[in-house]
Amino acid sequence: MTWRSYFNSVIGHEVKFIALLVFACLLVSTTGLPFNWLLLIALCCYVGYHLYQGKIILEWLSEHKSSSPPDEIRGIWSLIAQQVHQKNKYHKNKDNRNKKLIGQFTKVSQAIPDGIIILDSQGRIEWFNDPAIKLLGLRKQQDRGVQILQLLRDPGFVKYFQSHDRDKELRMDSPISNKLKLSLRVVGFYDKQLVIIQDFSALRHMEQVRQDFVANVSHELRTPLSVIVGYLETLSEEESDELAAYQPVFFQMNQQSSRMTRLVEDLLTLSNLDNEQTINHNQQVDVPAMLNEVLRDANILSGSKNQTITLNADPSLWVLGNTREIHGAFSNLVANAVNYTPEGGKIDIRWYREDDQLVMSVKDTGAGIDALHIDRITERFYRVDRGRSRSTGGTGLGLAIVKHALQRHEAALEIESTIGEGSTFSCVFPLERGIESPELVANS
Ligand code: ADP
């Protein structure tokens, strides 16, 4: 505010009022009243006037503050009342806008098919939409303010909610029906958390149909294939002159049908990994003994390639897991190292504890893998070099099996590779899966 407008609206008014008082005093002084009495009366009038203005403002504020200030308010009080009125108007508009936004948000959140729950910093439910009621069976009135873990007690959810690793979604059955398959994600915003719940029953059903189809086809192919392989073996061993000319053909047919058999076996392994939910993942697995077996097989597979394969395993370290699945993963990695390492190369297998992890690593001196393939190498049928993979008898499913088997043990596959130097594939288990060799414990 400039001095000029302040003078016009405030000081000007006060000066006029004081001038009026002085004039009235001068008039009254002609009656002979002493000067100090005059001053007292003038002062009382001035204070009374301001008290009156204050009263009007208080009445206006308590009753009609949304309307414009009454005309009786003058001078500095009028200025204050105008400011209050403008601020009120601004906040009222803002309130209306916020109310409109909240209304729109509520409508949108009810319209989307995903369930949404807002939790406070302590994990208590603050708000949820109608789809959350449908998907999780929440109760509109009773469940507000309740700890989410008291309502969703699924062990998978409890573990996911309490962990800090929430990058991935969690899949679980709905607490109201196990036919309802849910995918949940928890994201933090400010000091609150947002739980987003999606119904993926239809998708899961399609996945199941696809998995069943692959499993059934693989199963059905198994018997005819073993018959064909059997006959081909007999024919290739036949020493008749009539069949001699066909031996190269039999050889090729034999090779291809063995490849098909491996493919069918790998597909069956994958669909077992997809479907078998009840399998025991807490067997005591003697990893050092298992790796000795894998080493023996690797030397047989390596044959005349003159590779040096070494094993260095901590004898005291076992894991809790499924023997068949862990063996499948380890032997796949070692077989790959043998297949993709040229003659005279080195393969180093290690089993050790590193901080809070247990690691099985296979290091080779093969051709290495370009970084651009590494992210995709565990996809089904992904091959870096199709020709080379075929010539080694690869199916393109080995690393997918490894990854899947490890995931079922909360373990991960890590790959490091340098072109021209070689690759290291590591299976990294969480420390909680490790146990001390029962034999060593018994002897100590
Ligand atoms: P495959 O049956 O073809 O070996 P995998 O899933 O086991 O299928 O491996 C996928 C691809 O990864 C392979 O085709 C190969 O190109 C590459 N690969 C796997 N292991 C190694 C390795 N140790 N060194 C170099 N390349 C590898």
Side-chain angles (χ1 to χ4, degrees), residues 332-333 336-337 340 364 367-369 377 379 382-385 388-389 392-400 423 425:
N332 250 309
L333 291 181
N336 273 352
Y340 296 105
D364 63 49
I369 307 159
I377 209 170
E379 285 173 19
Y382 188 87
R383 291 159 171 124
V384 175
D385 180 342
R388 186 139 60 108
S389 165
T392 60
T395 60
L397 293 172
L399 292 181
S423 318
F425 286 76

Side-chain angles (χ1 to χ4, degrees), residues 98-387:
N98 286 346
K99 272 188 201 142
K100 209 168 145 192
L101 266 177
I102 291 172
Q104 277 171 352
F105 168 77
T106 314
K107 274 188 199 147
V108 169
S109 60
Q110 300 294 9
I112 55 173
D114 298 345
I116 296 172
I117 305 175
I118 297 177
L119 306 177
D120 67 12
S121 55
Q122 308 296 314
R124 286 182 297 242
I125 298 178
E126 273 191 353
W127 180 90
F128 51 84
N129 63 355
D130 287 350
I133 300 177
K134 215 174 77 196
L135 297 173
L136 295 174
L138 298 181
R139 293 159 306 168
K140 213 160 197 160
Q141 302 302 330
Q142 297 95 312
D143 290 341
R144 291 234 160 102
V146 179
Q147 255 288 339
I148 185 98
L149 292 181
Q150 278 178 21
L151 295 172
L152 298 182
R153 293 165 185 260
D154 180 283
F157 179 77
V158 175
K159 200 169 163 200
Y160 173 76
F161 190 75
Q162 287 170 342
S163 83
H164 295 288
D165 178 24
R166 294 182 187 158
D167 289 347
K168 279 188 249 148
E169 55 174 31
L170 169 83
R171 288 185 169 193
M172 65 177 229
D173 290 349
S174 161
I176 47 177
S177 158
N178 59 6
K179 288 200 182 105
L180 209 53
K181 308 288 175 196
L182 304 179
S183 126
L184 280 95
R185 188 167 272 248
V186 180
V187 284
F189 71 104
Y190 302 113
D191 63 334
K192 297 185 193 292
Q193 300 179 83
L194 195 69
V195 187
I196 303 161
I197 311 121
Q198 285 180 320
D199 176 4
F200 80 105
S201 312
L203 204 72
R204 178 75 195 107
H205 178 69
M206 272 163 59
E207 249 176 37
Q208 192 64 49
V209 170
R210 179 185 59 80
Q211 283 168 5
D212 289 351
F213 174 75
V214 173
N216 289 338
V217 169
S218 315
H219 206 77
E220 293 298 322
L221 281 173
R222 223 179 185 180
T223 320
L225 259 173
S226 60
V227 173
I228 293 170
V229 170
Y231 276 123
L232 280 171
E233 269 169 14
T234 319
L235 283 170
S236 11
E237 282 158 16
E238 198 70 44
E239 285 177 2
S240 94
D241 291 342
E242 280 168 50
L243 293 179
Y246 297 104
Q247 285 309 331
V249 179
F250 292 149
F251 176 75
Q252 280 222 349
M253 287 168 80
N254 213 341
Q255 244 190 351
Q256 292 306 318
S257 46
S258 305
R259 233 190 107 219
M260 265 171 89
T261 310
R262 275 198 301 278
L263 195 63
V264 166
E265 294 301 333
D266 278 359
L267 282 172
L268 277 172
T269 308
L270 264 177
S271 61
N272 285 342
L273 287 171
D274 279 334
N275 289 323
E276 284 176 353
Q277 299 304 342
T278 51
I279 205 160
N280 183 2
H281 283 102
N282 285 313
Q283 296 169 340
Q284 297 191 341
V285 184
D286 180 352
V287 176
M290 180 187 276
L291 288 175
N292 268 307
E293 226 177 273
V294 171
L295 175 69
R296 254 197 320 274
D297 294 344
N299 277 316
I300 296 170
L301 182 68
S302 173
S304 57
K305 279 177 101 176
N306 202 18
Q307 294 164 327
T308 312
I309 311 176
T310 53
L311 169 65
N312 201 329
D314 180 341
S316 66
L317 216 53
W318 287 31
V319 285
L320 290 174
N322 182 271
T323 311
R324 183 165 52 87
E325 289 180 10
I326 293 180
H327 182 273
F330 290 177
S331 55
N332 250 309
L333 291 181
V334 175
N336 273 352
V338 171
N339 286 332
Y340 296 105
T341 300
E343 283 192 21
K346 278 191 196 157
I347 295 160
D348 180 25
I349 309 166
R350 289 178 67 208
W351 170 237
Y352 56 99
R353 178 183 164 170
E354 190 175 65
D355 304 327
D356 54 353
Q357 294 176 327
L358 310 175
V359 185
M360 195 296 286
S361 68
V362 186
K363 184 169 185 235
D364 63 49
T365 55
I369 307 159
D370 198 323
L372 84 129
H373 296 294
I374 290 188
D375 282 346
R376 299 198 56 197
I377 209 170
T378 52
E379 285 173 19
R380 295 173 190 196
F381 297 112
Y382 188 87
R383 291 159 171 124
V384 175
D385 180 342
R386 214 157 261 275

